[in-house]
Amino acid sequence: MNRNQPPAYNGFEHGADFDRARTQIATPFQYFDIDLTNAGVNIPVEIAGDFLYFDTASGYEGIIAFELNNDHAAPMAPFTGRPGFALNALFKKLKCSWAAQPGKKVRIMYSTGERVIPALTGTLNVTGTVATLEDPFTYGASYKSNTALAANTPEAVFTPAANVNGAIIYQCEFQSNTSGFTNGGYLAKSSAPVSVIDGDVICLTTGGHNTAGVFANYGKNNKTIKISAGKGLYFIAGGVEGGAHRSCLYTLL
């Protein structure tokens, strides 16, 4: 074997163009046009490289089927070449077939060591209802209150009747001053709750501190939560409040 001659590729003879592709010597883009006015079957196209691209220029809207490096072997799975199609593969020739497409052509751009990135075009159609959550930094309503509540007495942020299509809670927090440590929190329910766990618990007391016999109980939730339609949001304290601060940012959908 001649050491200066590269081995055969898939049993095919070499040519200068194919050897250049095999050894990855970069070549600039070239192109080959095919007129599709009349049908063609197994038409050989003598081009070689390691990348090809079907141009999207006006006038080149045709479609063909093609195989790589298939001179006389059994048929192989063909590719469909249409505008915007790109292929990274080493090839020495193409075998092309197409149906008659009067007035249409394809332009095959090919190279070794050079690439283009095909643009993505088209239309995305979405049917049905698409559920979306608003930007967490955008809210529709703000609740705030400093009303001191009696034990197990709820205060509505919004009522079940107001929540027709669901609601998004972005942030809720509270500080409840009582004579001892106690729980309090925000609940979602289809009616007013009667205790701090009578409903869907959105936020409960997470800590507190004692200053001169006044217990400050506090809690906070910063996680976006969706509440089902037909449920209200309430705050309820587990003990008698001597002072309070509460707030909630939300949107009724």
Side-chain angles (χ1 to χ4, degrees):
M1 176 178 176
N2 186 342
R3 296 176 61 87
N4 295 319
Q5 179 175 331
Y9 182 78
N10 282 356
F12 300 130
E13 69 283 3
H14 347 271
D17 288 343
F18 185 60
D19 288 344
R20 184 166 53 248
R22 184 187 61 77
T23 55
Q24 296 294 289
I25 299 174
T27 59
F29 271 103
Q30 302 178 69
Y31 68 87
F32 187 90
D33 289 349
I34 303 176
D35 188 338
L36 307 182
T37 299
N38 299 311
V41 178
N42 295 335
I43 306 301
V45 176
E46 303 287 343
I47 60 176
D50 64 4
F51 178 80
L52 61 80
Y53 171 70
F54 282 73
D55 198 2
T56 59
S58 177
Y60 296 93
E61 296 89 5
I63 299 175
I64 67 171
F66 69 94
E67 304 170 26
L68 300 181
N69 304 318
N70 194 346
D71 279 344
H72 43 68
M76 61 184 292
F79 295 95
T80 299
R82 65 179 70 238
F85 177 82
L87 179 65
N88 283 291
L90 195 63
F91 59 92
K92 64 163 285 184
K93 66 171 58 178
L94 309 180
K95 184 196 291 184
C96 302
S97 299
W98 59 89
Q101 299 163 63
K104 292 186 177 181
K105 296 185 291 184
V106 294
R107 169 167 288 179
I108 304 173
M109 302 178 67
Y110 62 98
S111 179
T112 300
E114 301 289 343
R115 299 290 184 271
V116 295
I117 300 176
L120 298 178
T121 60
T123 301
L124 175 64
N125 296 317
V126 179
T127 60
T129 301
V130 179
T132 61
L133 298 182
E134 293 184 63
D135 182 336
F137 297 101
T138 302
Y139 58 90
S142 172
Y143 157 85
K144 50 190 176 293
S145 174
N146 60 5
T147 300
L149 300 174
N152 296 315
T153 300
E155 180 174 81
V157 178
F158 54 82
T159 65
N163 182 11
V164 177
N165 298 309
I168 304 296
I169 307 302
Y170 300 107
Q171 175 180 297
C172 57
E173 58 186 349
F174 68 90
Q175 178 177 315
S176 178
N177 297 335
T178 60
S179 58
F181 283 121
T182 186
N183 275 321
Y186 291 90
L187 305 175
K189 194 181 177 190
S190 58
S191 60
V194 297
S195 75
V196 295
I197 57 171
D198 181 26
D200 302 333
V201 177
I202 304 300
C203 175
L204 278 179
T205 300
T206 56
H209 62 269
N210 178 7
T211 304
V214 176
F215 292 81
N217 310 285
Y218 49 80
K220 185 175 185 177
N221 177 67
N222 285 327
K223 182 176 177 61
T224 301
I225 298 175
K226 183 176 181 180
I227 296 178
S228 300
K231 291 185 177 182
L233 181 66
Y234 300 88
F235 177 83
I236 189 168
V240 177
E241 292 184 321
H245 298 281
R246 297 183 289 276
S247 66
C248 180
L249 302 178
Y250 66 95
T251 293
L252 293 173
L253 302 176

